[in-house]
Amino acid sequence: MAERIDGAVLAGEVLEEVKAAADRLKDQKGVQTGLAVVIVGEDPASQAYVRSKGLRANECGFKSVTHKLAEDTSEADLLGLIDDLNADDTIHGILVQLPLPGHIDEGKVIQAIDPDKDVDGFSFINVGKLGTGQVGDAFVPCTPAGSMLMIERVLGKDLSGKNAVVVGRSNIVGKPMFNLLLAANATVTVAHSRTADLPALCRTADILVAAVGRPLMIKGDWVKPGAVVIDVGINRVPAPEKGEGKTRLVGDVDYEEAEKVASAITPVPGGVGKMTIAMLMANAVTSAYRSAGEEPPRF
């Protein structure tokens, strides 16, 4: 049976390192790491996620600010708030919770964030740095960054000679995951909905990353024996065994099948999802160190 890569344990370790780094910076330079989160509207899932981010920021000793804006907030007003946060020296990380209401251009909003405060890693500057191999200088999107840390804990930082397959080509996960694996010397293939014979391609992977948003799509016989499997998917499916109308969370990988074949695998829940907020906190404290002219810690 595969080793279970416990995201809760690893995220806890990262958050302890972040808190220690934030405390050092405050003690030595008088700089408190500042994180601002902006949410527009009342989406319940987004509200819960923003609360979780605020709690983690407080636990890490950050200055944590949440701006809750009405659903009908204009694009101009949102961009004005971002301008104010860009100019605020006490704020080192700015995160705008997605999705935004339909009348607001998400791309315009994301690109308005100062790249030096873009802790989500979505600005063209940070995407470009990552795409050209400047991983140490870029803010890397948090989910791929957390996934990469999980891979490193099993296989080490140098992935020379390893074949990796990333299933999914999103800007948020698939493409940055490709660049991170490539920077670690893996040979990487990105698969997607137009890929021919996807199961056969997946069976070539020493490292298989699933990020497509299709519940239990990747079966055990898609997995190469001994592969490391990172399941980024978080999907809600009916769970009648729990009662009428109940649901449960599953990943893109059929865990029960895949764990019999893989050498290591992330569960859902309790895997990559736990790492995402931890890496957001790591990016924020990294930004604070850079703003103070200090070498940031490596996570």
Side-chain angles (χ1 to χ4, degrees), residues 60-98:
C60 291
F62 292 3
K63 171 187 176 181
S64 177
V65 179
T66 301
H67 293 273
K68 297 181 179 180
L69 307 181
E71 182 83 18
D72 61 356
T73 296
S74 71
E75 183 180 281
D77 285 345
L78 176 54
L79 291 171
L81 173 60
I82 291 171
D83 285 343
D84 290 343
L85 294 172
N86 284 339
D88 187 342
D89 291 340
T90 69
I91 297 297
H92 306 102
I94 303 169
L95 182 150
V96 177
Q97 183 66 38
L98 303 179

Side-chain angles (χ1 to χ4, degrees), residues 32-53:
Q32 182 181 22
T33 302
L35 177 65
V37 179
V38 180
I39 182 169
V40 184
E42 301 293 334
D43 179 73
S46 293
Q47 294 278 351
Y49 198 37
V50 164
R51 280 195 298 273
S52 182
K53 290 171 181 174

Side-chain angles (χ1 to χ4, degrees), residues 225-236:
V228 175
V229 179
I230 305 296
D231 191 352
V232 180
I234 301 177
N235 311 284
R236 241 175 225 292

